[in-house]
Amino acid sequence: MNIGLYFGTFNPVHNGHTNIAKYIISNTKIDKILFVLTPQNPIKSKCFVEASIRLRMLNLALEGLDGIYVSDIELNMKGPNYTYKTISRLKDIYKEDKLILIIGEDNLASFTKWKNYEYILSEFQIYVYPRNGANKKYIIKSKNIVHLDSCLYDISSTQIREKISNKIIPKNLLAPKVFEFIENNNIY
């Protein structure tokens, strides 16, 4: 089985994330996608929403989506959470399967800053989806990098948090259950 690994803080998970996953399941050789919740990205600034709350939102967003699941593996690992450590652990768990990393173009542009990125690049295929404003002049080229011809979803978790803090309701950018959860629990 080909398993796609979609890492992120998902703060919050939005329709862009889920639409990309649905596109990949329908249009590539990936059979199953794991949304791997990262408690804290070592490169980005601190995440102020508890991982348990983001996990709840992920479960709500992915409920009923065929072939798309949540992984909380990083919540049980000692930090910092580097992708190479998690993907190595997942490789031990899914010995018979092929693991494929799913990242946005913005992450590819900064990929050489990832801890042990050479290992990831040599051992795993990487599917890259388009991101608005991403630097198209990539430092790295590899036969393991596959650029997807998916739709461009001009949505970011940062934009959603800003909208909510400015009392703008981003209802159309979130799964209804996620929106309701954020609203009912006064998140962001």
Side-chain angles (χ1 to χ4, degrees), residues 74-92:
E74 285 196 347
L75 301 184
N76 303 308
M77 293 174 65
K78 186 178 183 212
N81 299 103
Y82 294 113
T83 301
Y84 85 92
K85 286 182 180 178
T86 308
I87 207 167
S88 294
R89 172 122 4 125
L90 288 165
K91 189 176 180 182
D92 290 340

Side-chain angles (χ1 to χ4, degrees), residues 113-165:
K113 294 178 183 170
W114 292 24
K115 187 129 177 122
N116 293 341
Y117 77 91
E118 302 95 337
Y119 162 74
I120 299 169
L121 194 56
S122 67
E123 295 294 316
F124 302 94
Q125 196 166 35
I126 302 170
Y127 283 10
V128 181
Y129 59 87
R131 286 295 305 259
N132 205 10
N135 181 356
K136 304 284 186 193
K137 295 180 182 175
Y138 309 116
I139 297 170
I140 51 175
K141 304 263 188 234
S142 169
K143 63 179 177 48
N144 282 343
I145 296 175
V146 175
H147 291 271
L148 300 175
D149 190 24
S150 67
C151 292
L152 177 66
Y153 294 100
D154 195 16
I155 307 170
S156 77
S157 295
T158 302
Q159 292 169 331
I160 290 171
R161 290 191 308 272
E162 286 172 2
K163 285 179 183 296
I164 293 170
S165 70

Side-chain angles (χ1 to χ4, degrees), residues 168-184:
I168 299 169
I169 301 171
K171 215 174 197 176
N172 61 325
L173 303 178
L174 301 164
K177 288 183 180 180
V178 173
F179 177 78
E180 186 178 309
F181 181 80
I182 289 171
E183 196 171 56
N184 291 342

Side-chain angles (χ1 to χ4, degrees), residues 15 17 49 72 94 118 142 163 165-166:
N15 291 343
H17 295 126
V49 174
D72 64 356
Y94 297 99
E118 302 95 337
S142 169
K163 285 179 183 296
S165 70
N166 290 322

Side-chain angles (χ1 to χ4, degrees), residues 91-108:
K91 189 176 180 182
D92 290 340
I93 295 168
Y94 297 99
K95 290 179 174 80
E96 303 299 316
D97 300 305
K98 180 178 179 182
L99 302 179
I100 300 166
L101 185 61
I102 300 168
I103 65 173
E105 280 180 323
D106 53 334
N107 285 315
L108 182 60

Side-chain angles (χ1 to χ4, degrees), residues 22-77:
K22 288 189 272 188
Y23 171 86
I24 291 170
I25 287 282
S26 297
N27 296 285
T28 71
K29 62 183 180 176
I30 289 181
D31 305 299
K32 170 180 174 178
I33 293 179
L34 297 178
F35 273 64
V36 182
L37 179 64
T38 301
Q40 179 58 51
N41 183 323
I43 295 176
K44 294 183 179 176
S45 60
K46 185 159 173 42
C47 199
F48 292 105
V49 174
E50 292 284 326
S52 61
I53 292 170
R54 290 181 281 126
L55 180 63
R56 180 77 192 277
M57 290 189 285
L58 254 182
N59 280 310
L60 290 169
L62 303 184
E63 196 174 273
L65 296 182
D66 290 336
I68 303 172
Y69 306 93
V70 176
S71 171
D72 64 356
I73 190 168
E74 285 196 347
L75 301 184
N76 303 308
M77 293 174 65

